[in-house]
């Protein structure tokens, strides 16, 4: 299940954190996604900021000292800790995203990146088994 | 082979293109990697710029009107058109990258992204078969 592979040392910021500070967090912590949380309840997800969002801010000449809230995605795609990896692969495909926020009991648990799927042979195998299920009989090895 | 999956409508820029213009290309063309080519020989790759490179430029307060050359990666990881997908997955893992430049006869052919691997069931199957090879006997389905 994805809870086993998600990174739990989530890089967080607040909606009011300046865009440039969020870029610094991404660079220093080497992550592609920063999770915005409610300052008063830091396991409550209120948005996400991806590298792409920062690139867009540069492209559209945004003030990089303005609150990150202005460029964040508010409709966050989340998956429960107990979901299987094939479901995550499906979500990555469907939404064209590279990171998904993982929740446990509705609260922030971690972040699963598309790279985590490629990195873990065990995950690849799990995904593969799922897909082999759906292939025509006779096609599987 | 990866030549079948690589995107051949590569988004290119020159080493002298300003960082902000490259960010605009990424945003408009919805790509995570811009390939820098020699202006006089545009199938010759001289660097790559990823979304992460742009994020770092923001983080380190670079002048976004300066040539992209200042933030580009010069040691470009390339794979030949005929390589198999498992090899690409290995390269993504090894270098911690999400895009690889694909060449044919040493010239720019396309870009393969990690997302292309997740997107294509056929690719997943190819990768899976490779990994099942390396698992212990008795573990495969």
């Amino acid at each position: 299940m994805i809870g086993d592979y998600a990174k739990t040392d989530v890089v967080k910021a607040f909606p009011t954190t300046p865009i440039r500070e969020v870029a610094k967090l991404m660079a220093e912590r080497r992550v592609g996604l920063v999770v915005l949380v409610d300052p008063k309840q830091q396991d409550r997800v209120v948005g996400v900021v991806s590298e792409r969002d920062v690139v867009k801010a540069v492209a559209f000449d945004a003030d990089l000292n303005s609150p990150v809230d202005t460029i964040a995605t508010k409709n966050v795609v989340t998956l429960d800790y107990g979901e299987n990896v094939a479901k995550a692969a499906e979500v990555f495909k469907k939404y064209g995203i590279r990171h998904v926020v993982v929740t446990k009991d509705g609260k922030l648990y971690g972040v699963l990146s598309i790279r985590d799927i490629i990195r873990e042979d065990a995950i690849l195998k799990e995904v593969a088994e799922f897909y082999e299920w759906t292939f025509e009989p006779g096609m599987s090895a």
Side-chain angles (χ1 to χ4, degrees), chain A:
Chain A
M1 62 187 190
I2 60 173
D4 297 334
Y5 304 108
K7 294 210 172 58
T8 53
D9 54 337
V10 178
V11 181
K12 301 180 208 171
F14 301 134
T16 52
T17 308
I19 296 171
R20 194 183 306 280
E21 291 307 312
V22 172
K24 275 182 192 160
L25 285 171
M26 282 179 180
E28 284 164 10
R29 304 277 303 271
R30 302 173 65 90
V31 293
L33 194 85
V34 171
V35 178
L36 303 185
V37 295
D38 181 340
K40 289 176 186 164
Q41 196 184 332
Q42 299 196 14
D43 56 7
R44 197 171 84 81
V45 179
V46 296
V48 288
V49 186
S50 67
E51 286 172 305
R52 172 144 304 177
D53 294 326
V54 174
V55 168
K56 282 185 189 165
V58 171
F60 302 137
D61 232 334
D63 176 359
L64 301 173
N65 298 312
S66 61
V68 72
D69 200 29
T70 54
I71 64 161
T73 299
K74 312 289 167 59
N75 291 321
V76 181
V77 178
T78 64
L79 278 178
D80 185 74
Y81 166 94
E83 285 287 359
N84 69 35
V85 174
K87 173 74 179 180
E90 196 185 304
V91 164
F92 286 137
K93 269 204 282 195
K94 180 173 174 193
Y95 296 101
I97 54 179
R98 286 180 300 213
H99 299 85
V100 66
V101 171
V102 179
T103 54
K104 193 175 179 179
D105 301 323
K107 290 175 181 168
L108 176 59
Y109 175 80
V111 170
L112 182 77
S113 81
I114 200 167
R115 211 187 297 174
D116 297 328
I117 292 188
I118 294 294
R119 196 168 277 159
E120 297 289 337
D121 296 355
I123 292 197
L124 275 173
K125 189 159 185 292
E126 201 176 318
V127 173
E129 281 170 357
F130 174 83
Y131 280 105
E132 286 195 355
W133 253 20
T134 67
F135 287 138
E136 299 165 42
M139 277 191 69
S140 63

